[in-house]
Amino acid sequence: MIAGIRIGPGVRLTKMILAALSLCLGIVLGSGALSATASPAPTPTPTSDFTNTLTIGGVLRDGDNVVEGAEVTVEGASGFSEVATSDDTGRWSVIVPEKAEYTVTIDPETLPDGVELRDPDRDTATVSSSEWQTNSITRSFPLGADTRQTTGFFEQFLQRLAAGLNFGLLIALAAIGITLIFGTTGLNNFAHGEMVTFGAIIAWITAVLLGVNIFVAMLIALVLGGVFGYVQDWLLWKPLRRKGVKLVQAMIVSIGLAIALRYTYLFFIDGSTKTMNVGLSDAIVLGPVRITTGSIVSMVISIVALLAVGLFLTRTRVGKATRAVSDNPSLAAASGIDVDRIIRIVWVLAGALAALAGVMLGLYRQVSWDMGFQVLLLMFAAVTLGGLGSAYGALVGSIVVGLFVELSTLIIPADLKYAAALVVLIVVLLVRPQGILGRKERIG
Amino acid sequence: MDWGNIFGNAIGEIISPTTAAYALAAIGLGIHFGYTGLLNFGQAAFLLIGAYAFAIPTLAGAPLIVAVLSAIICSIIFAFILGIPTLRLRADYLAIVTIASAEVVRYIVTTTGLTDVTGAANGLSGFKGTFAAINPIPEGRYGFGPFVYNEYDWWIRIVGWTLVVLASVLVFLLMRSPWGRVVKGIREDEDAVRSLGKNVYSYKMQALVIGGVMGSIAGIIFILPRAVQPANYTTGLTFFIWTIMLLGGAATIFGPIVGAMIFWVVLSLTQGILYGAIEAGILPFIDTTQAGQIRFILVGVALMLLVIFRPQGIFGNKKELSFSV
Amino acid sequence: MSNLDKTSVGEPALTVTHPLVKGEVGPGCAKVDPIVIADSVTRQFGGLKAVDVAHLEIPRGQITALIGPNGAGKTTMFNLLTGFDKPNTGTWEFDGKSLAGVPAFKVARAGMVRTFQLTKSLGRLSVLQNMLLGATGQRGEGLFSSLIKPLWRQQEEENTIRADELLARFKLDAKREDYAASLSGGQRKLLEMARALMSQPELIMLDEPMAGVNPALTQSLLGHIKNLKADGTSVLFVEHDMHMVMHISDWVIVMAEGRVVAEGPPETVMKDPAVIDAYLGAHHDTDLGDLMEDGPNPVLEAERRAREAHPEAASEDDGYAKPEERA
């Protein structure tokens, strides 16, 4: 990992890491100077992330494929009208003069052959003046009714299956941290999503802004994620444990932390979504399944990381101690295990895994300030489905959630897929409150 | 920097309808968490349901009373759907299920498939007619100092704050009664209450419904000065209501009201001061959008500090109101 | 005591009779006037059969002690009978009404009220409020009637008078307005018992009423329990203090490893070879009284684990802090 850091242009990278660190440490308090040091960094995306321009934009996608060359018109009051054409990443954006109301219209004629609006009547969208919380607003047009007709159900199924497996593994990577923290401290960590976002932002800064190799960026994110977890435990959670703060109180503290971190990210990287253009978007065709190299890389890394965690928990002394603390903290403490040290290790591990998951989530989708929060509930769903506190359960629950999210789109509208997964969570709790894998009773 | 304007705006927040809506939602959440100990992280869903269940019938031509009843009934149904599977579960499961349910209803009203009913991501507008029609205040602008509004704005404020007062009176009456004693007992230890022959499940459900209906009425007040926007009902809204409730004191009568006033006045003040500083060139490295974001960072930090150092809130009694779990 | 070998003493106890018992005295014997009758009640935690009671009757109007070594399943039996836990098999009736599968609050309403081994005083309510919560049939506990004070004011006043009487009897009247959280462990125990009495139960079930109570108070507590009997209330209690068991109980039921191994009047049951066997096991030299002390309890431990794996039950008051205290 030290080697990994040396590869980059030494001094500047160290600066960058320091910047990222203080980003996670010094949450706010007028450290606006940071954005000034970050803005001169070379940025390949022309959306200029640190300026004051107002944009309306979006990414046109047909399933996993980007749609290039489609025309989108943005019209506003006082005769403002401008046309944007989607580029080779499917991205389009229009710079608008003021935070006002606009109408956004896509021209279906300019869509490539075989791609249509999923709902032909939905070719316009509006932006209201109250929406300008950030400098950029995203509007999307659901595409792809046509593909559904041309590809058979079985191909669709396999395609979704692959995507679901990939997504499930990503969730598992992040959710194991949640379950380990819950197991060892009893805390439901609502700020876990922000640890995911943290990893994605670090990778985006290193790989996209600084042009470092994506795998090196991944390592950097992994290490900094671990540091982030360590610092959180050191500065916040351990003192709170000492203070005797109750569980619900701690849970609400984590909510406050999540809000503070989330808006800190927004403060620094603004509200637009960022694409990780790192050369991993080539599609590979495996029989009926079309899959990007990024997805394959992400799956392989997830599996390797999960296996490593599994081996760590079952084969090493520290891992066994971790499980002992999860099972019965007082017994573990009585048998000479340093519980505080184990919890510290769990936080480091959780931070590193969440950051790694964030990097891959950025590759799989995009990077945005609230990406972690969007998947937080899915992680909770996965952990709860698997039975709170069990690492193996978290893995199974995550795969179930991932598969369900993707496969449900075969039947229900894609914009309800997260809702479907959460409904499953509620139904499972109704039938089996102990989770899918949790046994009704257990005895040691 | 125009201090007069900054303070004028901030003072205006004290009686704004948005403050009233947040106060009412926080009073409802206080019944859930402060008095009964229910970890409801889905209060935004009750506001959402109130808003849509009011706006949709109104746009379909229903009279005001029908629309209000629709909002109340829908929130009761939602409380039952939420409560039946979860009120037997451990507290943290209730938290996860309520937050998940709130997201589910938000996804549902945002889905493009329901555009004709809910307006999808664009939301709904044009439902103020029935409420404005019964406004007894003649047209014109009234008031003094920073409190000068037209007849519609005064009407919303009067109705909104009347409802807040009524809700507070209701909470006062409930909590001084044996009914209040039972729910407070449940907050402390539900097994003990059960062993004394009280139907704990039923009381929890009653508390969930009452607090939920207050949330739903808050949802109506919230949309009367604006449009229905599904993006307003994220979990962020729930957490702001939590911050307000904890700020004032979770199990107090005036806590949620004062909490809402402080919350909005402080947000308005920081925004005014930051914007003023940016215009005056004092903060060259941030823009006004970022200034808006700093406020929410402060909300998060304030929530953390509040819960750690003063969990009983401003009005709470240290002995009575520290967290039980 | 070591001379009380089971082979030497076991034989003569052939046809013992007792006024409370129909027929012969022995484990699971039928009572002349039972208030609780339980049949084939079993409860398993994983591989451990915590309770396995074939037949049990509790006499009406008497003070019955339920004793047994740690892990004998006494508290689990309490939980089962009062609806706080669900058995794997079994039926039981109280006063002729079947209570199997009846939720805990209805069991309490039927007149069978319990206390807990770990006290459950409601810390952020005042002592008086704790007491008033115990009163049954309160009109002010209905959602709508609670809003109109005249509907419940008089009942509340009557309950308050009764609560004050009980508080005075239990010497808690000075603490009337204090938060229950400020009481000592023993005082909480007393408060819990007084609170249970507010509901005027037919059968009160006390789980270790003496544990943690100031010795100065034990004598008056014994008096309270005897008074209950005088008032016609049946009492069933779990206790480790053998002096108390010998002193006040009319009948003693002994459990070991989930089963009822012996029962009888206090003066004879302690001589029963099955009891000596159950308590002494391998340590025949130890005095019986010394073994009644607390120690690690395998059933409670198994139960705790089961509850952890079983999230329906509300969580205990476990702080986020100090994980070593969470167990």
Side-chain angles (χ1 to χ4, degrees):
Chain A
M1 287 174 194
I2 292 160
I5 291 169
R6 278 194 195 128
I7 293 172
V11 180
R12 190 206 228 143
L13 204 74
T14 326
K15 229 184 208 168
M16 215 52 233
I17 292 164
L18 281 175
L21 261 177
S22 43
L23 186 143
C24 70
L25 300 181
I27 295 169
V28 233
L29 308 180
S31 52
L34 252 181
S35 64
T37 57
S39 52
T43 155
T45 35
T47 40
S48 46
D49 295 285
F50 298 102
T51 60
N52 296 342
T53 36
L54 306 172
T55 58
I56 296 175
V59 176
L60 293 174
R61 277 172 172 258
D62 166 28
D64 286 339
N65 293 335
V66 296
V67 173
E68 188 183 348
E71 287 179 5
V72 180
T73 312
V74 175
E75 289 166 311
S78 65
F80 173 82
S81 175
E82 197 156 318
V83 180
T85 308
S86 61
D87 62 14
D88 58 349
T89 62
R91 177 181 290 276
W92 60 271
S93 77
V94 171
I95 295 175
V96 293
E98 55 181 343
K99 295 182 173 183
E101 298 195 3
Y102 296 94
T103 312
V104 186
T105 315
I106 187 167
D107 182 358
E109 298 296 313
T110 57
L111 290 171
D113 291 344
V115 178
E116 284 178 16
L117 279 168
R118 189 167 293 167
D119 179 353
D121 298 332
R122 299 271 299 145
D123 58 349
T124 45
T126 52
V127 172
S128 76
S129 49
S130 64
E131 275 181 78
W132 289 98
Q133 297 286 328
T134 62
N135 280 354
S136 65
I137 286 195
T138 308
R139 278 292 171 268
S140 59
F141 295 94
L143 302 174
D146 212 340
T147 42
R148 208 175 273 194
Q149 288 152 12
T150 50
T151 14
F153 180 82
F154 187 63
E155 280 79 8
Q156 274 283 320
F157 178 79
L158 287 179
Q159 189 77 40
R160 298 285 106 204
L161 195 69
L165 203 59
N166 188 6
F167 189 44
L169 286 167
L170 290 186
I171 295 178
L173 213 48
I176 281 179
I178 289 190
T179 207
L180 286 177
I181 290 171
F182 179 83
T184 47
T185 69
L187 170 72
N188 283 301
N189 181 21
F190 276 78
H192 213 83
E194 277 55 51
M195 312 222 296
V196 171
T197 316
F198 178 79
I201 292 176
I202 296 292
W204 174 72
I205 291 174
T206 42
V208 176
L209 295 189
L210 302 179
V212 176
N213 179 296
I214 179 66
F215 295 101
V216 179
M218 239 178 235
L219 273 183
I220 294 172
L222 184 83
V223 171
L224 288 184
V227 171
F228 190 28
Y230 180 90
V231 169
Q232 263 194 54
D233 186 53
W234 173 43
L235 289 183
L236 183 63
W237 301 113
K238 188 179 173 191
L240 287 189
R241 283 198 298 278
R242 284 278 149 82
K243 194 172 147 67
V245 165
K246 304 278 186 185
L247 279 178
V248 171
Q249 233 175 323
M251 187 150 107
I252 298 172
V253 171
S254 82
I255 289 171
L257 178 66
I259 295 175
L261 285 174
R262 198 149 68 240
Y263 282 96
T264 308
Y265 298 151
L266 178 60
F267 183 88
F268 288 112
I269 71 162
D270 89 22
S272 63
T273 53
K274 290 116 177 63
T275 316
M276 294 270 263
N277 290 320
V278 288
L280 288 177
S281 50
D282 305 332
I284 295 173
V285 178
L286 293 171
V289 179
R290 199 184 49 216
I291 196 165
T292 62
T293 43
S295 295
I296 295 174
V297 165
S298 138
M299 276 202 248
V300 170
I301 292 176
S302 302
I303 291 171
V304 170
L306 288 169
L307 282 176
V309 172
L311 288 175
F312 165 75
L313 286 177
T314 52
R315 298 292 161 85
T316 65
R317 280 184 67 86
V318 175
K320 284 177 189 166
T322 306
R323 289 192 300 150
V325 173
S326 287
D327 194 48
N328 188 337
S330 47
L331 199 62
S335 53
I337 294 172
D338 180 352
V339 174
D340 261 339
R341 181 172 154 257
I342 295 297
I343 292 174
R344 180 74 50 87
I345 290 170
V346 162
W347 272 101
V348 171
L349 189 65
L353 290 176
L356 187 62
V359 181
M360 274 155 351
L361 201 60
L363 288 173
Y364 178 68
R365 304 256 165 91
Q366 270 136 3
V367 179
S368 69
W369 64 287
D370 61 348
M371 59 186 287
F373 190 68
Q374 284 169 4
V375 294
L376 176 72
L377 285 181
L378 295 180
M379 296 192 285
F380 272 135
V383 168
T384 315
L385 284 181
L388 274 176
S390 136
Y392 185 58
L395 174 61
V396 175
S398 302
I399 304 271
V400 169
V401 167
L403 287 177
F404 198 87
V405 163
E406 290 295 342
L407 289 177
S408 67
T409 60
L410 294 172
I411 301 158
I412 59 166
D415 55 4
L416 282 179
K417 60 184 179 182
Y418 289 163
L422 297 176
V423 167
V424 168
L425 165 72
I426 296 166
V427 170
V428 168
L429 279 178
L430 185 60
V431 186
R432 273 182 77 83
Q434 68 275 27
I436 301 171
L437 281 187
R439 263 175 297 164
K440 208 162 186 202
E441 286 133 8
R442 192 165 55 139
I443 185 163
Chain B
M1 234 185 279
D2 181 359
W3 288 102
N5 197 21
I6 291 170
F7 279 110
N9 284 339
I11 297 296
E13 288 293 337
I14 291 179
I15 61 160
S16 84
T18 308
T19 307
Y22 274 70
L24 191 54
I27 292 170
L29 188 62
I31 296 178
H32 292 154
F33 176 74
Y35 291 107
T36 319
L38 301 175
L39 272 181
N40 172 19
F41 281 166
Q43 189 69 344
F46 285 106
L47 279 96
L48 182 152
I49 282 167
Y52 279 90
F54 173 82
I56 292 170
T58 305
L59 289 172
L64 181 68
I65 182 74
V66 173
V68 171
L69 281 178
S70 141
I72 293 173
I73 292 168
C74 286
S75 61
I76 293 174
I77 294 171
F78 182 71
F80 275 103
I81 295 173
L82 209 58
I84 288 170
T86 54
L87 290 180
R88 290 184 206 280
L89 301 178
R90 226 169 49 189
D92 46 353
Y93 279 71
L94 180 69
I96 291 172
V97 170
T98 47
I99 198 172
S101 312
E103 286 292 275
V104 168
V105 293
R106 189 172 66 83
Y107 284 127
I108 290 175
V109 297
T110 317
T111 182
T112 51
L114 290 174
T115 309
D116 295 341
V117 187
T118 62
N122 298 323
L124 299 167
S125 55
F127 45 77
K128 295 169 190 169
T130 54
F131 178 73
I134 57 160
N135 184 359
I137 306 169
E139 213 173 298
R141 292 183 71 79
Y142 305 90
F144 60 91
F147 306 106
V148 179
Y149 307 105
N150 67 21
E151 77 286 351
Y152 181 76
D153 288 345
W154 272 116
W155 181 225
I156 305 172
R157 282 168 174 76
I158 291 166
V159 171
W161 285 102
T162 307
L163 289 168
V164 169
V165 170
L166 286 177
S168 302
V169 170
L170 181 69
V171 171
F172 170 75
L173 290 176
L174 280 174
M175 294 312 161
R176 69 162 185 181
S177 77
W179 187 91
R181 188 159 62 217
V182 177
V183 297
K184 283 186 251 175
I186 291 170
R187 175 188 70 192
E188 299 302 304
D189 189 323
E190 56 175 85
D191 272 349
V193 177
R194 206 172 271 134
S195 78
L196 297 170
K198 321 291 177 196
N199 187 348
V200 167
Y201 187 64
S202 162
Y203 280 99
K204 282 180 169 181
M205 189 66 91
Q206 292 169 29
L208 187 65
V209 167
I210 297 170
V213 168
M214 287 183 183
S216 138
I217 294 172
I220 301 176
I221 302 173
F222 184 69
I223 58 164
L224 283 175
R226 52 172 70 76
V228 179
Q229 276 286 334
N232 282 334
Y233 302 97
T234 56
T235 45
L237 174 61
T238 299
F239 296 149
F240 291 160
I241 298 170
W242 268 86
T243 309
I244 285 170
M245 178 192 68
L246 295 169
L247 190 64
T252 57
I253 303 292
F254 295 110
I257 300 174
V258 179
M261 288 175 173
I262 294 174
F263 184 85
W264 283 107
V265 167
V266 170
L267 273 194
S268 172
L269 269 183
T270 43
Q271 164 153 325
I273 293 168
L274 283 169
Y275 281 18
I278 291 164
E279 275 168 27
I282 301 169
L283 297 169
F285 43 83
I286 59 171
D287 61 61
T288 51
T289 316
Q290 285 177 312
Q293 291 149 5
I294 289 180
R295 297 184 310 156
F296 293 108
I297 301 174
L298 291 175
V299 170
V301 174
L303 180 59
M304 290 166 74
L305 296 178
L306 191 63
V307 172
I308 297 171
F309 295 109
R310 203 173 164 83
Q312 73 273 28
I314 293 167
F315 283 98
N317 174 332
K318 178 93 186 169
K319 255 189 216 154
E320 194 186 358
L321 292 156
S322 51
F323 286 70
S324 65
V325 284
Chain C
M1 285 241 167
S2 52
N3 61 339
L4 292 175
D5 202 322
K6 58 179 165 183
T7 47
S8 59
V9 185
E11 311 307 331
L14 269 178
T15 49
V16 183
T17 58
H18 188 274
L20 290 175
V21 173
K22 223 191 301 186
E24 195 181 322
V25 173
C29 59
K31 306 297 183 302
V32 175
D33 183 13
I35 189 163
V36 172
I37 304 174
D39 274 299
S40 53
V41 177
T42 60
R43 177 70 169 105
Q44 219 149 353
F45 296 121
L48 180 72
K49 213 165 204 177
V51 166
D52 183 9
V53 170
H55 186 82
L56 179 67
E57 296 188 6
I58 294 162
R60 185 191 305 275
Q62 308 294 328
I63 300 176
T64 308
L66 182 59
I67 64 166
N70 286 317
K74 306 176 298 274
T75 296
T76 311
M77 189 67 190
F78 255 49
N79 289 344
L80 292 173
L81 291 178
T82 50
F84 278 86
D85 194 1
K86 288 197 170 54
N88 298 81
T89 67
T91 57
W92 61 98
E93 55 182 60
F94 170 73
D95 236 358
K97 297 179 292 278
S98 172
L99 284 187
V102 171
F105 77 93
K106 285 190 180 164
V107 172
R109 282 185 192 172
M112 189 162 141
V113 174
R114 69 168 300 179
T115 65
F116 294 86
Q117 190 179 354
L118 300 166
T119 48
K120 292 187 183 295
S121 59
L122 308 168
R124 291 182 289 170
L125 294 183
S126 73
V127 168
L128 179 65
Q129 295 289 317
N130 262 276
M131 291 297 289
L132 291 173
L133 196 57
T136 51
Q138 295 191 49
R139 283 189 284 276
E141 286 182 357
L143 178 57
F144 296 106
S145 51
S146 72
L147 297 174
I148 306 160
K149 195 170 181 183
L151 288 180
W152 48 266
R153 183 190 286 130
Q154 189 178 350
Q155 196 187 27
E156 184 88 345
E157 281 164 6
E158 289 162 11
N159 286 338
T160 309
I161 292 168
R162 213 151 49 80
D164 281 332
E165 281 168 15
L166 278 167
L167 285 177
R169 225 206 283 174
F170 282 81
K171 301 209 165 48
L172 287 170
D173 41 349
K175 299 272 181 186
R176 187 176 188 264
E177 299 300 332
D178 293 5
Y179 284 122
S182 68
L183 299 183
S184 71
Q187 285 172 323
R188 288 185 206 185
K189 226 94 229 177
L190 292 175
L191 173 60
E192 200 178 336
M193 190 167 154
R195 191 175 64 193
L197 292 177
M198 277 298 285
S199 65
Q200 295 170 312
E202 285 194 48
L203 169 65
I204 185 163
M205 298 173 65
L206 308 170
D207 200 345
E208 301 199 18
M210 289 303 186
V213 176
N214 180 343
L217 277 175
T218 39
Q219 209 51 43
S220 68
L221 194 59
L222 291 182
H224 295 322
I225 296 175
K226 279 183 171 168
N227 285 342
L228 289 177
K229 182 189 170 189
D231 297 343
T233 309
S234 314
V235 179
L236 175 67
F237 70 99
V238 169
E239 190 49 69
H240 284 294
D241 182 341
M242 281 304 130
H243 303 294
M244 174 181 174
V245 171
M246 303 299 280
H247 189 66
I248 65 164
S249 53
D250 302 299
W251 195 254
V252 177
I253 297 167
V254 187
M255 284 183 77
E257 292 171 349
R259 298 163 191 276
V260 175
V261 291
E263 54 180 295
E267 52 283 1
T268 57
V269 78
M270 299 313 288
K271 300 191 178 92
D272 190 308
V275 178
I276 294 158
D277 201 33
Y279 270 101
L280 296 181
H283 341 253
H284 275 233
D285 296 330
T286 327
D287 182 73
L288 203 52
D290 295 342
L291 283 167
M292 309 295 180
E293 304 299 321
D294 278 10
N297 183 331
V299 172
L300 284 184
E301 182 67 8
E303 223 182 9
R304 182 189 69 75
R305 287 166 176 279
R307 199 164 291 137
E308 278 178 359
H310 197 48
E312 283 112 312
S315 63
E316 295 293 315
D317 182 35
D318 40 6
Y320 162 69
K322 299 164 199 146
E324 58 271 23
E325 284 174 13
R326 275 202 299 127

